[in-house]
Structure formats: structure tokens, C-alpha cells
Amino acid sequence: MRLSMRPFVFATCLAVGLASAPLTIADNHGEWLGYRTAGPDGALPDSFGLVETWKRELGAGYSSLAVADGLVVAMHTAGDDDVLAAFDAATGADKWQVRFDTKYAAHDGSDDGPLGSPAIADGDVYALGPKGQLIAVELESGKERWRVQLDESNSNVPFYGYTSSPLPLGDLVVILAGGEGRAVTAYDRKTGELRWSKGDDSVTYQSPILADVGGREHLVAVTDQWAYGLDPQSGDTLWSYEHSTGESSEGSAHPTVLDADHLLINLSEEALALRVTSTEGKLSVEEAWRSRIFANSLVLPVVHGGAVFGFTGRILTSAKISDGDFNWRSRGAQAFNLSLIDGHLAMVTRDGNLVVAVAGGSDFAEVARLQVFERGDYANPAFVGDHFFVRNQTHLAAVRVDKDVKAEVAEVVEDPHRYLGEFGAFVKTVEGLAEGERQARVDAHFAEVESTPIVEADGSTHVIYRGAAEDVSLGGNILGFGGDQVPLHRVAGTDLFYRSLPLDPKGSYDYGIGVDFGRPSRDPANAHFVDYGWRQLSELQMPGFRANEAIAEPAEGVARGELNAFRFHSKKLENARQIQIWTPPGFSAEARYPLLVVNHGNNALGAGAMGNVLDHTVGSRVAPVVVAFVPRNSGAEYNGDLAPAYASFLVEELIPHLEQHYQVGEDRAIMGPGSGAVIAVHTAMAFPGSFQKVVGQSFYLTDENRDAYWQMLEGSDAKPTVWLESGPNDYVIEGPGIHAHKSTEALVEKLTARGVDVTMNTVYGRAGWTGWRAQTDAILEALFPADS
């Protein structure tokens, strides 16, 4: 579950820059002209440190930055609008902004705001807003020159809004619009008049590039299923290649120039290299190689010194451009973005560090780093003069390169649990042997081991992998919250990889094992697992953990409820979602049923296996009930600025619909985990009488919304019965100030003071579906006991 740290409103307060930091930006004419800029006007010194010059608040958006003539240009949300805006590169001060349209609201896991990036050419800025406004703006003044509206009549509308970043070419500006005969579309740069459109494929989130391959300059465009080489001015097709066939589609595939004859297309599960050749003036294209060097990542690769660099999931990778074989792979910096700067790789890591590393060598070689944000995001770092310009969903910053400042690099921290418990003592014994004797000792030991992971009486736990591998990693909430994968330790001279952790003997955890830099997935030695839909992870149930046997698939012949779905449009939220409804066996139109509304409903049915729990318990331990599983469209609906509208949608729109069509009565309950618990309590308290019972698991508030939430409670006279669950293994994420157990205890205190009947249940599972689903049978029985 992604935790939204988006601000409630856009603020324009500006952090004060370092007075001792001289700026050279105003004195040079360096440019970073857009999304796929290849490098800076300038060079990095041999050694340097990084110093923050200024940082200011910025609205949400995925836009990368463009920099020219002393201005930093970005796309972001500003209050209720999406805008194109310019800031002074030396101070971060506002210069101008141009409105695209009303804010493109977050939905289905996205964040608010624009996804595309601006491009600068000859004193003008070109940008495509998420609702389809293609605009040209004078860079110096922000004066709008022209505007074109994209819609169903001249493009296909992507699910997350328009994303293509414009490419200025001569007297044209080119975008990928999508649709029959208009996949690639060119407009006049001065007037916005349509000049030509080509191609018959849909487009999702791709952008075109200019490439010199096969002996001539190309406009290269990758659409959902095709790659096109076009004449840059006429749009005539020089070659085409179908990279995906049938039902397969690659909505985020982009081209990268490898060398004079090769292009790379990053697909979701692999990288495809195409060879473009010219014979007697006629161009042809063929597949050169495929490799899994880059997969499961939206980061676009960069090329330097005969190598191509990018990410496979969270693994930074260097590969040969000749055949796609690996040079090296590293977890040294895990990021959503990547830029090439004078022979260096620059990225803002997932934990908000600007990291600079050498683009080359036999392994990852970090040069400098600086903590700039609480977390990183998708915008590529820009570099002009002696400054990096970086952003995330909440801030924009300038960072100076200073050769007189000592470089900071990541601290190498030894694993304090490497030799934990009795198993750690065994490992020490093995490592004390000659390497040639170690494998036999390991084999003998594991011949006596009944199952893995190995759990000792005090909770010392050892995740084990045995087999031939270069690298084995561990992921999942077993490592805590907000953490990344960690490598398993290899016992040299053996096939044993392991990681030891001190865990709560009463808890439960999910984890996955990744082999040879693969994505962590189920441990084949462990039969317990949780299915998140997009992947399966193993579940580690500690000896004192209360397991819920009802999550298992019911036996054949057991009477089961019926699960149906309908699409529901909310006028309050101005969006739609699929609601799933569980009705009990023997459901009758003549009866009136209690209602349970479940937030994060799609996940509760999937990873939470709540349909199985209902099938096992309703009719025996639980009274017949109708359950509405409601998915979240965006984080702001649960703990952001859309929360009041979401609560109103549930009470004033959804419940009346369910009363009419599913015979639900006035006995109503609402529940949810994490942010779903936040909105469950909010709804019941903001609309007295709407829900008589509330359940919140791992309820948490952030520094951002805590005060407003408590004020909302203070203004309520509602008195539902509230059941809350939290414990010592619950969410703790320092950046946004999340501490679920403390938030839950504070909520108990505040509700009790208002005369609300509150039950607090201490649980020991880690926040996540392995822990939450363990309690759903008991929750259902408490809400709707069979004898009521």
C-alpha cells in the first residue's frame, strides 16, 4: 500500500537559501531543455560535495524539469488547478504560471497532477496537460502563444491522463496522441496548426525522440504495440517494427539510442534492441537482442562509454550495448529516475537522497550524496551550470556541486544480527572450517532441519535459501516499513544464503526471496502465502501468532455467498469505481439485512481473503449480512483533501443505492485497515447515525493531517461503537510522522472522552494483510453475532 504524502493545498512559501552559496546560474547560459536531455552544458569536477542552495514547496505532479535562461520550468498542481510554472533558478522564487485546467485528480493508485514534462526550444516552452491541453508559452514572460485541445476526436485518452512530453523539431512540435491515423502528431510551433499525423496505434504514456541511427536522422516513436522510424519533418514512415502482438501492450515503452545502428526499447519484462541499417538508401529494422537487464521499472535507460544503465525493479544495472550482457548490478541506489551528467549517473533515491555515481567501472561507484527530500519520485534530475535541480511530489530544490566540500557517500553498516541466536553460532562454526569442508557441514545440519525459515524460542528467525546463485535478496514487511530489499548473507564455499532477524514470537510477517537480482516472490520451502494480485509473498506465522483458519478456501459442498459487482458513479467525487457486493446464502428480497462497508475492498477480497472468511462464518458464528467492498481511487479519498467528499459519497450516495437494491437495513458497520481505518472513523463521526459500528485496523495519522483530523472529531456528537486493533509491530514511518500504535491510542483517548464506546484489541501481526486478515473472523463475529 502506497502511503500518500501529497499536501492538502499548494503553498508558495520559499525556504531561505544558503547565504554563503554563490550562484553561477545567472552567469552562464546552460540549458536542460526537457525530459530526455542527454547531458549538461558544463562538467563535473573530479571530486565534489553537494550543498542544498534552496528548497521550496511545490504541488503534486510527476513532471520532470526543464531549465534555461535562469528559469526552472515544471508542471504541478496549484490549489485546484494544474499549471505550467517557472521559477527563478537562483532563488526558487515564482516567476509565472499558466493554467492548464482544473486539477487532474489522483485515482487508482496515482497521485494528483500532471504526468508529462515540458520542453524548451528557442525561447518558448511546450507542454501537454493531463486533460489534453497542448500549449506553447513564451519562456521569459509566461505569455501563452497558442493552445490546442486533445480529446477523443483527435487522440486516444490514456487511463491516467495525457502524458506525452512534446518534442520540438525545426518548425514543428511533435507529440504521441494515439488513435487511427494519428498515433504520432505534429503541430506548427508558431501557430499550433496541425501539420500532419501518422500511425494507427494507441498511445499510453510514451514520448518521441530524435535519433541519428542507420545513417540518418529519425523521429522515433514507440506506441503501445509498434515502433516507428519517421522522417522528422514530413512524418513519412521510414520503417516500423511490431514489438508486442495480440493482446499484449506496452504503454510505458520508450526508445533509447544505443549507438549509430541500435535502439533500445524498454518493455515491462525485458529490453529489446533493434538494429537499423541502410542498404542502397533503403532502411530496414530487425531484432538484435533481448535481455532482462531492465524490467519492472519506469526508469528510462541512459548510455555512456559502451554501456547502458537502468533499473530492473530496484536493482541498478550496467549492461553491454553490444549484446545486453550484464556488466554489474547493484542495490547501492534504488530510484524511480535516472539522468546522465558528464559521465555520471544522477538519481533521487526512493528515500530522498540525491546520489551521483560513476557511469562505468566494474561495479557501482558512488561519488556523492545529499538528503534532499523525505522520499524520491519519478522526476529526473536536471543539471545546469553547477547546480542540480530536483523535485518530488511536494518540493522543488536546487543543489550546488562544490569541489571544496567533502563528499558524503552511503555509510556501510554491518548487519548487527548476522550471527544471531543458535543458528548464528552454527554459521560461525561453519565459517571456522576450511572452505573445502564447509558444504558437508551445512548438508549434515540441514538434514536435521524440518522446515524453514528457522524460528528459535526467543523469536530469532533465519530466512534460508540454498542453491546455486550469484545473489539472493529478502523483501517484504518482515524488514519493517518503507524499507527496500536486503541481500542474504552467503556462507563462502557453500550453497547456503541466510538472513537473521529478531522478530516478535507472537507476530506474522510477509516476505519474498529474490534470486539473482530477481523480484522477491514466494519461498518454495514455506506453504503459507498471501496473494496480493500482482504478486505472491510467503507468510511467516510465528509460534504465538493467532492464525485465522477461515481464510482458506471452503470445502466443496459448503454453502457459499454470492459475489457480484456493479459500476457506481459518484457525483460527490466526480469519479466512478467498481463496487463488489457479497450476499449471504439464501439471500431473500423479502428480508432486511445488516450492512458492512469495507474500505480497501478490492484488497480485502484479494490478499485479505475476506470472501472465504464470510463463507466460513456467516450462518454459523456470524448473522447473515450484506457486505459492500469499496475500492479506493486515490489516497486523498482516505486521508487527504477528498476525505469529506468520500465520506459523503458513502453515506449520501452508496447507502441509498444499497437500501434500494440489496435490502440493507439500519444496522450498519464500516471497517478498513491503515488509511481505510482513518476514513472509516471519519465517516461515522462526520455523519452521526450513518454507521452504528466502526472497525479500524492499524489506524494512523500523519504530521500533515493530524490536527485537522482531531478538529473534525471535536466537532462531532456521533457515538458509534468502535473496535480498534493495533500493536507493537504496527506502522512506524518517520518521514510523514506515521506511528500507528500511538495514533490508535490517542484515538481511543479522544473517543472515550466524548463518551464513545471503544474496544482496543492489541494484536501482534505486522501491519499488512497477513496480520489484518488474521482477525476478520473475530471482527465479523463481534459486529454481527449469529445469535443477535
Side-chain angles (χ1 to χ4, degrees), residues 241-277:
Y241 186 88
E242 191 175 15
H243 60 75
S244 301
T245 60
E247 296 297 320
S248 63
S249 179
E250 292 284 348
S252 59
H254 282 73
T256 299
V257 179
L258 291 179
D259 58 23
D261 299 308
H262 293 84
L263 294 165
L264 185 77
I265 301 176
N266 61 301
L267 306 175
S268 58
E269 296 297 328
E270 62 183 351
L272 165 65
L274 299 179
R275 180 185 298 109
V276 182
T277 56

Side-chain angles (χ1 to χ4, degrees), residues 8-33:
F8 288 120
V9 295
F10 175 76
T12 55
C13 73
L14 177 65
V16 177
L18 301 177
S20 60
L23 292 177
T24 61
I25 296 167
D27 299 325
N28 73 50
H29 300 285
E31 298 175 325
W32 187 275
L33 298 179

Side-chain angles (χ1 to χ4, degrees), residues 3-164:
L3 304 175
S4 175
M5 290 173 274
R6 180 172 55 255
F8 288 120
V9 295
F10 175 76
T12 55
C13 73
L14 177 65
V16 177
L18 301 177
S20 60
L23 292 177
T24 61
I25 296 167
D27 299 325
N28 73 50
H29 300 285
E31 298 175 325
W32 187 275
L33 298 179
Y35 182 44
R36 303 301 301 276
T37 294
D41 180 10
L44 293 171
D46 291 337
S47 62
F48 57 88
L50 299 172
V51 180
E52 184 179 300
T53 299
W54 54 259
K55 181 163 63 178
R56 58 159 296 149
E57 292 188 5
L58 189 74
Y62 294 104
S63 158
S64 287
L65 306 170
V67 185
D69 296 342
L71 296 176
V72 181
V73 181
M75 297 159 64
H76 65 93
T77 61
D80 294 328
D81 296 325
D82 284 332
V83 301
L84 174 70
F87 308 91
D88 188 288
T91 67
D94 296 286
K95 300 300 287 187
W96 53 257
Q97 74 177 28
V98 176
R99 179 179 182 269
F100 285 112
D101 202 331
T102 55
K103 177 178 71 178
Y104 188 86
H107 64 92
D108 296 271
S110 72
D111 284 290
D112 289 341
L115 286 82
S117 299
I120 298 173
D122 302 326
D124 288 331
V125 184
Y126 302 90
L128 177 61
K131 294 185 178 181
Q133 294 83 19
L134 176 64
I135 63 175
V137 174
E138 185 179 70
L139 174 62
E140 182 180 6
S141 66
K143 178 182 177 182
E144 185 173 319
R145 295 192 183 279
W146 53 260
R147 175 178 294 237
V148 172
Q149 179 65 53
L150 300 187
D151 53 34
E152 292 87 349
S153 69
N154 56 14
S155 64
N156 68 259
V157 183
F159 183 72
Y160 287 108
Y162 292 93
T163 309
S164 184

Side-chain angles (χ1 to χ4, degrees), residues 668-753:
R668 297 189 291 263
I670 185 171
M671 68 179 291
S675 59
V678 175
I679 194 60
V681 175
H682 177 135
T683 303
M685 298 303 292
F687 290 87
S690 59
F691 291 97
Q692 293 73 45
K693 291 168 275 191
V694 184
V695 176
Q697 298 175 282
S698 299
F699 173 95
Y700 69 81
L701 297 176
T702 67
D703 290 341
E704 193 174 58
N705 69 357
R706 187 172 288 108
D707 290 344
Y709 199 89
W710 295 146
Q711 289 174 11
M712 180 275 297
L713 284 187
E714 288 297 320
S716 172
D717 59 2
K719 292 186 178 180
T721 299
V722 179
W723 170 303
L724 298 172
E725 292 190 338
S726 184
N729 300 314
D730 223 328
Y731 284 123
V732 177
I733 306 178
E734 298 297 342
I738 292 173
H739 195 302
H741 201 41
K742 289 182 179 179
S743 288
T744 303
E745 290 176 331
L747 179 62
V748 170
E749 181 179 343
K750 290 181 180 295
L751 290 176
T752 301

